[in-house]
Amino acid sequence: MNGWVRGIGLAMLALGLALAATVCAGSWLGERKMARRIALDVADVDLPTDAASIGHGRYLFNTRGCATCHGRDGSGAAVIDDGTMRIVSPNITAGANSAITRYRTRDWVRTLRHGVKPDGRPLMIMPSEDYSLLSDADVGAIIAYVRQLAPVPGQAAQVRLPLSVKVMYAFGAVRDAAETIDHGAAPAPAAAPAVTIEHGAYVAHSCIGCHGENLTGGRIPGTPSAWPAPANLTPGHGSAMIRYRTPESFMAMLRSGRRPDGSSISAVMPFGALGEMNEVDMRALHAYLKSLPPRAGGQR
């Protein structure tokens, strides 16, 4: 009996040591992975100077999530701060603690489309997969708008991840945008916005960072436990879209942050940005989501 108990004790000790070694190795590998260099040949895009194009850049900045994370003035903000994880977006104006004082146009393109810093290291948390297929015209408009923002003092970028997330990142359960993006994919061609499925697909690409490449939702690996799992946006099992049979009901939700029954949707959903989308984008997005093949929720 004593030998049996001793054997179990030794086995548990060995298991504990193995687990500790895995965690230590994972933490080290996670830090090393964040410091890796990614070689990319990135071309410039033309930056517009006319008021209409810069106004369009402002619209995209406010409705595609840029302002949600960096603030409407571009000064940066604490995006996540739950005691275990702290993510502070950088100041992208030319003010104090600016992250972009030496950014060339191609550095902006590398950041937006590829999730890679000018020095080749991957960006953490930045959802560049949402912007990877933006047309040259839209990328240029966003950059032109940001470059003319008034210089304001802001916060330096900060990424403090809990040990568990570093381990998940090391072993591929959590991935940075640079891992998920097809860096050889051609950007979308410039096209006039219209209430079409094609334009809706273009708008919906800015949703994949949260809802997944297949838009089926499911828990985002590594996010705080208080964050709800994003909804399934396809017509499959567990779909949120069954509530929004008409474009009008869908637009009302985006503008109010409430379901048709009046209940509130989680504030994690960026309604401040979504509610500012124009009617063409909203109607096109609804048409596209309604056209998707049914998929079971949670497949991301």
Side-chain angles (χ1 to χ4, degrees), residues 12-39:
M12 291 180 66
L13 176 61
L15 181 61
L17 290 173
L19 179 61
T22 300
V23 170
C24 289
S27 178
W28 179 76
L29 288 170
E31 293 284 355
R32 186 174 180 182
K33 185 176 177 181
M34 282 189 276
R36 76 188 190 279
R37 294 298 197 273
I38 302 166

mmCIF file of all heavy atoms in Angstrom, residues 12-39:
data_model
loop_
_atom_site.group_PDB
_atom_site.id
_atom_site.type_symbol
_atom_site.label_atom_id
_atom_site.label_comp_id
_atom_site.label_asym_id
_atom_site.label_seq_id
_atom_site.Cartn_x
_atom_site.Cartn_y
_atom_site.Cartn_z
ATOM 1 N N MET A 12 2.833 12.063 -9.693
ATOM 2 C CA MET A 12 2.273 13.418 -9.650
ATOM 3 C C MET A 12 3.386 14.457 -9.628
ATOM 4 O O MET A 12 3.270 15.516 -10.263
ATOM 5 C CB MET A 12 1.376 13.569 -8.421
ATOM 6 C CG MET A 12 0.097 12.747 -8.498
ATOM 7 S SD MET A 12 -0.954 12.938 -7.042
ATOM 8 C CE MET A 12 -1.417 14.659 -7.200
ATOM 9 N N LEU A 13 4.470 14.149 -8.896
ATOM 10 C CA LEU A 13 5.603 15.074 -8.861
ATOM 11 C C LEU A 13 6.207 15.212 -10.251
ATOM 12 O O LEU A 13 6.508 16.327 -10.707
ATOM 13 C CB LEU A 13 6.651 14.562 -7.873
ATOM 14 C CG LEU A 13 7.951 15.388 -7.788
ATOM 15 C CD1 LEU A 13 7.651 16.811 -7.337
ATOM 16 C CD2 LEU A 13 8.939 14.725 -6.825
ATOM 17 N N ALA A 14 6.381 14.068 -10.917
ATOM 18 C CA ALA A 14 6.946 14.104 -12.267
ATOM 19 C C ALA A 14 6.042 14.889 -13.218
ATOM 20 O O ALA A 14 6.524 15.667 -14.051
ATOM 21 C CB ALA A 14 7.144 12.676 -12.780
ATOM 22 N N LEU A 15 4.723 14.683 -13.075
ATOM 23 C CA LEU A 15 3.775 15.405 -13.918
ATOM 24 C C LEU A 15 3.845 16.904 -13.654
ATOM 25 O O LEU A 15 3.826 17.716 -14.582
ATOM 26 C CB LEU A 15 2.364 14.888 -13.658
ATOM 27 C CG LEU A 15 1.234 15.516 -14.485
ATOM 28 C CD1 LEU A 15 1.460 15.260 -15.970
ATOM 29 C CD2 LEU A 15 -0.113 14.971 -14.049
ATOM 30 N N GLY A 16 3.944 17.261 -12.365
ATOM 31 C CA GLY A 16 4.040 18.672 -12.010
ATOM 32 C C GLY A 16 5.303 19.310 -12.556
ATOM 33 O O GLY A 16 5.272 20.438 -13.064
ATOM 34 N N LEU A 17 6.412 18.575 -12.472
ATOM 35 C CA LEU A 17 7.672 19.106 -12.994
ATOM 36 C C LEU A 17 7.615 19.260 -14.511
ATOM 37 O O LEU A 17 8.106 20.250 -15.071
ATOM 38 C CB LEU A 17 8.822 18.178 -12.605
ATOM 39 C CG LEU A 17 9.189 18.161 -11.110
ATOM 40 C CD1 LEU A 17 10.225 17.079 -10.834
ATOM 41 C CD2 LEU A 17 9.707 19.531 -10.669
ATOM 42 N N ALA A 18 6.991 18.271 -15.157
ATOM 43 C CA ALA A 18 6.860 18.349 -16.614
ATOM 44 C C ALA A 18 5.994 19.536 -17.017
ATOM 45 O O ALA A 18 6.294 20.244 -17.980
ATOM 46 C CB ALA A 18 6.270 17.045 -17.152
ATOM 47 N N LEU A 19 4.908 19.752 -16.254
ATOM 48 C CA LEU A 19 4.029 20.883 -16.545
ATOM 49 C C LEU A 19 4.756 22.199 -16.343
ATOM 50 O O LEU A 19 4.652 23.123 -17.161
ATOM 51 C CB LEU A 19 2.786 20.808 -15.655
ATOM 52 C CG LEU A 19 1.766 21.940 -15.822
ATOM 53 C CD1 LEU A 19 1.218 21.954 -17.242
ATOM 54 C CD2 LEU A 19 0.624 21.773 -14.823
ATOM 55 N N ALA A 20 5.510 22.290 -15.252
ATOM 56 C CA ALA A 20 6.267 23.513 -14.973
ATOM 57 C C ALA A 20 7.293 23.776 -16.067
ATOM 58 O O ALA A 20 7.481 24.916 -16.510
ATOM 59 C CB ALA A 20 6.943 23.410 -13.610
ATOM 60 N N ALA A 21 7.947 22.696 -16.519
ATOM 61 C CA ALA A 21 8.940 22.846 -17.582
ATOM 62 C C ALA A 21 8.279 23.308 -18.877
ATOM 63 O O ALA A 21 8.809 24.156 -19.601
ATOM 64 C CB ALA A 21 9.667 21.522 -17.808
ATOM 65 N N THR A 22 7.083 22.771 -19.154
ATOM 66 C CA THR A 22 6.355 23.164 -20.365
ATOM 67 C C THR A 22 5.964 24.630 -20.315
ATOM 68 O O THR A 22 6.090 25.364 -21.300
ATOM 69 C CB THR A 22 5.103 22.292 -20.533
ATOM 70 O OG1 THR A 22 5.482 20.918 -20.646
ATOM 71 C CG2 THR A 22 4.322 22.696 -21.770
ATOM 72 N N VAL A 23 5.492 25.066 -19.132
ATOM 73 C CA VAL A 23 5.094 26.466 -18.968
ATOM 74 C C VAL A 23 6.300 27.386 -19.126
ATOM 75 O O VAL A 23 6.235 28.409 -19.817
ATOM 76 C CB VAL A 23 4.420 26.679 -17.601
ATOM 77 C CG1 VAL A 23 4.242 28.166 -17.326
ATOM 78 C CG2 VAL A 23 3.075 25.971 -17.559
ATOM 79 N N CYS A 24 7.421 27.024 -18.502
ATOM 80 C CA CYS A 24 8.633 27.844 -18.615
ATOM 81 C C CYS A 24 9.118 27.914 -20.057
ATOM 82 O O CYS A 24 9.461 28.980 -20.570
ATOM 83 C CB CYS A 24 9.732 27.281 -17.715
ATOM 84 S SG CYS A 24 9.431 27.515 -15.957
ATOM 85 N N ALA A 25 9.114 26.739 -20.710
ATOM 86 C CA ALA A 25 9.535 26.705 -22.113
ATOM 87 C C ALA A 25 8.578 27.517 -22.974
ATOM 88 O O ALA A 25 9.000 28.258 -23.876
ATOM 89 C CB ALA A 25 9.604 25.260 -22.600
ATOM 90 N N GLY A 26 7.273 27.394 -22.697
ATOM 91 C CA GLY A 26 6.289 28.130 -23.462
ATOM 92 C C GLY A 26 6.446 29.629 -23.308
ATOM 93 O O GLY A 26 6.332 30.382 -24.283
ATOM 94 N N SER A 27 6.713 30.077 -22.094
ATOM 95 C CA SER A 27 6.902 31.505 -21.867
ATOM 96 C C SER A 27 8.111 32.016 -22.650
ATOM 97 O O SER A 27 8.046 33.067 -23.308
ATOM 98 C CB SER A 27 7.091 31.772 -20.375
ATOM 99 O OG SER A 27 7.318 33.142 -20.136
ATOM 100 N N TRP A 28 9.194 31.265 -22.600
ATOM 101 C CA TRP A 28 10.412 31.654 -23.315
ATOM 102 C C TRP A 28 10.173 31.658 -24.823
ATOM 103 O O TRP A 28 10.556 32.581 -25.527
ATOM 104 C CB TRP A 28 11.544 30.699 -22.940
ATOM 105 C CG TRP A 28 12.830 31.007 -23.651
ATOM 106 C CD1 TRP A 28 13.711 32.003 -23.391
ATOM 107 C CD2 TRP A 28 13.374 30.288 -24.784
ATOM 108 N NE1 TRP A 28 14.771 31.977 -24.275
ATOM 109 C CE2 TRP A 28 14.585 30.928 -25.133
ATOM 110 C CE3 TRP A 28 12.951 29.186 -25.504
ATOM 111 C CZ2 TRP A 28 15.378 30.483 -26.193
ATOM 112 C CZ3 TRP A 28 13.742 28.738 -26.567
ATOM 113 C CH2 TRP A 28 14.937 29.379 -26.899
ATOM 114 N N LEU A 29 9.521 30.607 -25.304
ATOM 115 C CA LEU A 29 9.242 30.516 -26.733
ATOM 116 C C LEU A 29 8.281 31.617 -27.187
ATOM 117 O O LEU A 29 8.403 32.135 -28.299
ATOM 118 C CB LEU A 29 8.656 29.140 -27.062
ATOM 119 C CG LEU A 29 9.626 27.960 -26.995
ATOM 120 C CD1 LEU A 29 8.858 26.650 -27.107
ATOM 121 C CD2 LEU A 29 10.686 28.062 -28.085
ATOM 122 N N GLY A 30 7.311 31.967 -26.314
ATOM 123 C CA GLY A 30 6.394 33.039 -26.645
ATOM 124 C C GLY A 30 7.115 34.367 -26.801
ATOM 125 O O GLY A 30 6.875 35.124 -27.754
ATOM 126 N N GLU A 31 8.022 34.666 -25.878
ATOM 127 C CA GLU A 31 8.794 35.910 -25.961
ATOM 128 C C GLU A 31 9.661 35.909 -27.219
ATOM 129 O O GLU A 31 9.786 36.927 -27.914
ATOM 130 C CB GLU A 31 9.686 36.045 -24.718
ATOM 131 C CG GLU A 31 8.924 36.256 -23.415
ATOM 132 C CD GLU A 31 8.395 37.672 -23.274
ATOM 133 O OE1 GLU A 31 8.698 38.521 -24.128
ATOM 134 O OE2 GLU A 31 7.675 37.923 -22.288
ATOM 135 N N ARG A 32 10.231 34.749 -27.507
ATOM 136 C CA ARG A 32 11.085 34.642 -28.698
ATOM 137 C C ARG A 32 10.262 34.814 -29.968
ATOM 138 O O ARG A 32 10.708 35.450 -30.932
ATOM 139 C CB ARG A 32 11.776 33.281 -28.690
ATOM 140 C CG ARG A 32 12.811 33.108 -29.793
ATOM 141 C CD ARG A 32 13.551 31.797 -29.642
ATOM 142 N NE ARG A 32 14.543 31.633 -30.692
ATOM 143 C CZ ARG A 32 15.308 30.568 -30.827
ATOM 144 N NH1 ARG A 32 15.188 29.559 -29.966
ATOM 145 N NH2 ARG A 32 16.188 30.485 -31.810
ATOM 146 N N LYS A 33 9.070 34.266 -29.968
ATOM 147 C CA LYS A 33 8.194 34.385 -31.132
ATOM 148 C C LYS A 33 7.790 35.843 -31.365
ATOM 149 O O LYS A 33 7.722 36.302 -32.504
ATOM 150 C CB LYS A 33 6.956 33.515 -30.926
ATOM 151 C CG LYS A 33 6.023 33.442 -32.112
ATOM 152 C CD LYS A 33 4.876 32.476 -31.807
ATOM 153 C CE LYS A 33 3.864 32.416 -32.918
ATOM 154 N NZ LYS A 33 2.740 31.490 -32.588
ATOM 155 N N MET A 34 7.519 36.579 -30.290
ATOM 156 C CA MET A 34 7.157 37.989 -30.421
ATOM 157 C C MET A 34 8.318 38.822 -30.949
ATOM 158 O O MET A 34 8.111 39.897 -31.517
ATOM 159 C CB MET A 34 6.686 38.540 -29.076
ATOM 160 C CG MET A 34 5.274 38.156 -28.707
ATOM 161 S SD MET A 34 4.640 39.008 -27.243
ATOM 162 C CE MET A 34 5.297 37.989 -25.942
ATOM 163 N N ALA A 35 9.552 38.328 -30.756
ATOM 164 C CA ALA A 35 10.740 39.071 -31.180
ATOM 165 C C ALA A 35 11.236 38.650 -32.562
ATOM 166 O O ALA A 35 12.238 39.179 -33.043
ATOM 167 C CB ALA A 35 11.858 38.878 -30.155
ATOM 168 N N ARG A 36 10.537 37.715 -33.208
ATOM 169 C CA ARG A 36 11.007 37.246 -34.504
ATOM 170 C C ARG A 36 10.918 38.355 -35.549
ATOM 171 O O ARG A 36 10.160 39.307 -35.399
ATOM 172 C CB ARG A 36 10.206 36.015 -34.955
ATOM 173 C CG ARG A 36 8.808 36.300 -35.476
ATOM 174 C CD ARG A 36 8.033 35.014 -35.716
ATOM 175 N NE ARG A 36 6.774 35.211 -36.428
ATOM 176 C CZ ARG A 36 5.646 35.606 -35.873
ATOM 177 N NH1 ARG A 36 5.599 35.858 -34.566
ATOM 178 N NH2 ARG A 36 4.553 35.746 -36.601
ATOM 179 N N ARG A 37 11.697 38.219 -36.609
ATOM 180 C CA ARG A 37 11.678 39.186 -37.707
ATOM 181 C C ARG A 37 11.029 38.550 -38.929
ATOM 182 O O ARG A 37 11.314 37.404 -39.274
ATOM 183 C CB ARG A 37 13.097 39.638 -38.056
ATOM 184 C CG ARG A 37 13.795 40.452 -36.946
ATOM 185 C CD ARG A 37 13.054 41.743 -36.649
ATOM 186 N NE ARG A 37 13.839 42.703 -35.919
ATOM 187 C CZ ARG A 37 13.941 42.765 -34.599
ATOM 188 N NH1 ARG A 37 13.288 41.893 -33.849
ATOM 189 N NH2 ARG A 37 14.678 43.700 -34.019
ATOM 190 N N ILE A 38 10.140 39.310 -39.568
ATOM 191 C CA ILE A 38 9.397 38.835 -40.732
ATOM 192 C C ILE A 38 9.797 39.699 -41.920
ATOM 193 O O ILE A 38 9.566 40.913 -41.927
ATOM 194 C CB ILE A 38 7.880 38.928 -40.493
ATOM 195 C CG1 ILE A 38 7.493 38.106 -39.255
ATOM 196 C CG2 ILE A 38 7.100 38.462 -41.718
ATOM 197 C CD1 ILE A 38 6.105 38.404 -38.740
ATOM 198 N N ALA A 39 10.410 39.087 -42.907
ATOM 199 C CA ALA A 39 10.869 39.826 -44.079
ATOM 200 C C ALA A 39 9.725 39.969 -45.078
ATOM 201 O O ALA A 39 9.114 38.975 -45.485
ATOM 202 C CB ALA A 39 12.045 39.103 -44.728
#
